[in-house]
Amino acid sequence: MEARCPSCGSALIELGEDQWPAEGPVPAGTLAVFQCEENHRITVGQTQIQA
C-alpha cells in the first residue's frame, strides 16, 4: 500500500536523514520525514502520553 499525503493525496516519498529539512530543526524524537510531490512535509515521531 502506497502512503498518501493527507493534504493533497499525492504519493509520499521517505527522505533519508541527510535530506531532512535544513531550514529548521527536526523535532526531537523524529523517526522519519516524508515529502509529497507538492512539497508537503510529513514528520513521523514517537507518541508521548502523559497521565
Side-chain angles (χ1 to χ4, degrees):
M1 184 174 160
E2 190 173 75
R4 294 285 182 189
C5 177
S7 297
C8 66
S10 65
L12 288 173
I13 299 167
E14 186 171 2
L15 301 178
E17 269 190 68
D18 60 333
Q19 296 177 311
W20 287 9
E23 65 269 6
V26 175
T30 297
L31 301 175
V33 176
F34 294 85
Q35 186 169 333
C36 76
E37 297 163 355
E38 299 296 322
N39 291 324
H40 298 123
R41 285 209 176 104
I42 309 298
T43 303
V44 179
Q46 297 173 338
T47 302
Q48 295 180 357
I49 300 173
Q50 294 179 344

